[in-house]
mmCIF file of all heavy atoms in Angstrom:
data_model
loop_
_atom_site.group_PDB
_atom_site.id
_atom_site.type_symbol
_atom_site.label_atom_id
_atom_site.label_comp_id
_atom_site.label_asym_id
_atom_site.label_seq_id
_atom_site.Cartn_x
_atom_site.Cartn_y
_atom_site.Cartn_z
ATOM 1 N N TYR G 76 83.580 -99.481 -3.749
ATOM 2 C CA TYR G 76 84.474 -100.643 -3.703
ATOM 3 C C TYR G 76 85.942 -100.237 -3.707
ATOM 4 O O TYR G 76 86.781 -100.910 -3.091
ATOM 5 C CB TYR G 76 84.179 -101.580 -4.883
ATOM 6 C CG TYR G 76 83.009 -102.508 -4.643
ATOM 7 C CD1 TYR G 76 82.111 -102.269 -3.603
ATOM 8 C CD2 TYR G 76 82.796 -103.618 -5.440
ATOM 9 C CE1 TYR G 76 81.039 -103.100 -3.377
ATOM 10 C CE2 TYR G 76 81.730 -104.472 -5.211
ATOM 11 C CZ TYR G 76 80.847 -104.210 -4.185
ATOM 12 O OH TYR G 76 79.796 -105.057 -3.948
ATOM 13 N N LEU G 77 86.273 -99.152 -4.397
ATOM 14 C CA LEU G 77 87.657 -98.669 -4.371
ATOM 15 C C LEU G 77 88.048 -98.233 -2.960
ATOM 16 O O LEU G 77 89.167 -98.529 -2.495
ATOM 17 C CB LEU G 77 87.822 -97.505 -5.348
ATOM 18 C CG LEU G 77 87.896 -97.863 -6.836
ATOM 19 C CD1 LEU G 77 87.958 -96.600 -7.686
ATOM 20 C CD2 LEU G 77 89.105 -98.753 -7.120
ATOM 21 N N VAL G 78 87.144 -97.550 -2.286
ATOM 22 C CA VAL G 78 87.410 -97.151 -0.899
ATOM 23 C C VAL G 78 87.578 -98.378 -0.016
ATOM 24 O O VAL G 78 88.503 -98.449 0.808
ATOM 25 C CB VAL G 78 86.267 -96.256 -0.376
ATOM 26 C CG1 VAL G 78 86.465 -95.947 1.099
ATOM 27 C CG2 VAL G 78 86.194 -94.962 -1.175
ATOM 28 N N LEU G 79 86.699 -99.374 -0.189
ATOM 29 C CA LEU G 79 86.804 -100.609 0.595
ATOM 30 C C LEU G 79 88.108 -101.342 0.291
ATOM 31 O O LEU G 79 88.730 -101.912 1.195
ATOM 32 C CB LEU G 79 85.611 -101.523 0.296
ATOM 33 C CG LEU G 79 84.245 -101.049 0.802
ATOM 34 C CD1 LEU G 79 83.153 -102.013 0.348
ATOM 35 C CD2 LEU G 79 84.247 -100.947 2.327
ATOM 36 N N LEU G 80 88.536 -101.325 -0.979
ATOM 37 C CA LEU G 80 89.782 -102.004 -1.355
ATOM 38 C C LEU G 80 90.973 -101.369 -0.659
ATOM 39 O O LEU G 80 91.859 -102.077 -0.150
ATOM 40 C CB LEU G 80 89.962 -101.928 -2.874
ATOM 41 C CG LEU G 80 91.251 -102.557 -3.429
ATOM 42 C CD1 LEU G 80 91.288 -104.050 -3.128
ATOM 43 C CD2 LEU G 80 91.370 -102.313 -4.926
ATOM 44 N N ILE G 81 91.013 -100.052 -0.608
ATOM 45 C CA ILE G 81 92.110 -99.364 0.078
ATOM 46 C C ILE G 81 92.128 -99.730 1.559
ATOM 47 O O ILE G 81 93.181 -100.014 2.148
ATOM 48 C CB ILE G 81 91.980 -97.843 -0.110
ATOM 49 C CG1 ILE G 81 92.173 -97.475 -1.581
ATOM 50 C CG2 ILE G 81 93.002 -97.098 0.755
ATOM 51 C CD1 ILE G 81 91.871 -96.026 -1.889
ATOM 52 N N ILE G 82 90.944 -99.750 2.177
ATOM 53 C CA ILE G 82 90.856 -100.089 3.599
ATOM 54 C C ILE G 82 91.321 -101.520 3.845
ATOM 55 O O ILE G 82 92.070 -101.798 4.793
ATOM 56 C CB ILE G 82 89.413 -99.896 4.102
ATOM 57 C CG1 ILE G 82 89.037 -98.413 4.045
ATOM 58 C CG2 ILE G 82 89.261 -100.417 5.525
ATOM 59 C CD1 ILE G 82 87.587 -98.143 4.371
ATOM 60 N N VAL G 83 90.890 -102.454 2.978
ATOM 61 C CA VAL G 83 91.270 -103.864 3.150
ATOM 62 C C VAL G 83 92.770 -104.053 2.993
ATOM 63 O O VAL G 83 93.411 -104.774 3.771
ATOM 64 C CB VAL G 83 90.497 -104.747 2.151
ATOM 65 C CG1 VAL G 83 91.074 -106.157 2.115
ATOM 66 C CG2 VAL G 83 89.023 -104.805 2.522
ATOM 67 N N VAL G 84 93.359 -103.400 1.988
ATOM 68 C CA VAL G 84 94.812 -103.524 1.770
ATOM 69 C C VAL G 84 95.576 -102.992 2.980
ATOM 70 O O VAL G 84 96.541 -103.621 3.453
ATOM 71 C CB VAL G 84 95.223 -102.778 0.489
ATOM 72 C CG1 VAL G 84 96.738 -102.679 0.386
ATOM 73 C CG2 VAL G 84 94.663 -103.491 -0.731
ATOM 74 N N LEU G 85 95.152 -101.850 3.503
ATOM 75 C CA LEU G 85 95.823 -101.282 4.678
ATOM 76 C C LEU G 85 95.648 -102.173 5.906
ATOM 77 O O LEU G 85 96.522 -102.224 6.780
ATOM 78 C CB LEU G 85 95.272 -99.881 4.968
ATOM 79 C CG LEU G 85 95.591 -98.802 3.926
ATOM 80 C CD1 LEU G 85 94.897 -97.490 4.287
ATOM 81 C CD2 LEU G 85 97.102 -98.592 3.817
ATOM 82 N N ALA G 86 94.524 -102.885 5.986
ATOM 83 C CA ALA G 86 94.281 -103.747 7.142
ATOM 84 C C ALA G 86 94.989 -105.074 7.027
ATOM 85 O O ALA G 86 95.438 -105.648 8.032
ATOM 86 C CB ALA G 86 92.774 -103.967 7.310
ATOM 87 N N ILE G 87 95.108 -105.611 5.804
ATOM 88 C CA ILE G 87 95.686 -106.947 5.620
ATOM 89 C C ILE G 87 97.207 -106.931 5.724
ATOM 90 O O ILE G 87 97.813 -107.884 6.216
ATOM 91 C CB ILE G 87 95.255 -107.518 4.255
ATOM 92 C CG1 ILE G 87 93.759 -107.836 4.286
ATOM 93 C CG2 ILE G 87 96.047 -108.772 3.908
ATOM 94 C CD1 ILE G 87 93.367 -108.847 5.338
ATOM 95 N N THR G 220 86.063 -100.351 13.856
ATOM 96 C CA THR G 220 87.357 -100.345 13.160
ATOM 97 C C THR G 220 88.117 -99.053 13.444
ATOM 98 O O THR G 220 89.330 -99.071 13.721
ATOM 99 C CB THR G 220 87.142 -100.513 11.647
ATOM 100 O OG1 THR G 220 86.411 -101.713 11.399
ATOM 101 C CG2 THR G 220 88.477 -100.568 10.917
#
Side-chain angles (χ1 to χ4, degrees):
Y76 278 15
L77 284 176
V78 175
L79 291 176
L80 178 62
I81 294 172
I82 294 173
V83 169
V84 170
L85 293 176
I87 291 300
T220 303

